Amino acid sequence: MLLLSLESSAVTASAALFDGSAPIKSEFLNNGLTHSETLLPMAVSVMQGRSFSELDAIAVSTGPGSFTGVRIGVATAKGIAFPYDIPCISISPLEAAAYNFIDMNCTICCVMDARRNQFYNALFKVENKTVTRLCDDRAVSCDELQGELSDYDKVIVAGDGARLFCSLCGLENIELAPQNRIYQNAVGVALAAQNKKPVSASMLAPVYLRPSQAERQLELRRKSND
């Protein structure tokens, strides 16, 4: 199966091409450019001259994460998929980050900065090259997550919010992931997609754990006018 994977849910952007579970080429950027400028060119680059029509599926991070980044990723996947009726696979960037540790046996706490004193989070156990989800994706406070992690012997913290969380958390049993494993990326998206059921491009949609700021402001205005 020829699979294109995309990740743009936070500060970084990446794309990868896989033949089954084997990577062909991947690209990763963390240079401050907007994903609208970089994601599609990276997708074209990893295809290495192949036509998008050759793809069997497209996997993409659909959230949680940056509202703008997630929308760009989903829109890019849809734009590639629609002309050729390519199936799409929705992946959590938190789960994608856990696949950075597929060669280890460990507990992974994946976190993304959700602002407003919260983190998007999920916990995973990696054992014998298998990633097992320990909880659903959620938005939690630092204090809530710190209390839960205190029950574990050792936890590796990964994701674009890992450094922030570790700076706020006072636990001695947590360890910041190394630089080359810390960020969610398209390779992890592709690995997470191996056993997921695809949907049509028309059914692919962002996954939000809470309303956007614009939606919250609209709701406040509605309430003030009632």
Side-chain angles (χ1 to χ4, degrees), residues 58-144:
I58 300 171
V60 60
S61 287
T62 53
S66 156
F67 290 97
T68 300
V70 167
R71 284 194 293 266
I72 290 171
V74 170
T76 301
K78 282 176 171 286
I80 295 171
F82 267 126
Y84 310 108
D85 196 25
I86 303 169
C88 297
I89 304 171
S90 173
I91 299 296
S92 162
L94 297 168
E95 183 175 358
Y99 275 85
N100 292 348
F101 304 86
I102 194 67
D103 59 338
M104 300 173 61
N105 291 332
C106 53
T107 299
I108 305 297
C109 173
C110 298
V111 289
M112 302 174 70
D113 184 6
R115 312 294 181 182
R116 301 174 64 209
N117 300 314
Q118 286 188 321
F119 291 92
Y120 296 129
N121 165 255
L123 301 176
F124 300 88
K125 183 178 180 64
V126 186
E127 190 171 28
N128 299 325
K129 298 188 181 301
T130 299
V131 176
T132 302
R133 180 180 282 275
L134 301 180
C135 68
D136 292 334
D137 291 356
R138 58 199 177 168
V140 296
S141 69
C142 181
D143 289 342
E144 290 176 298

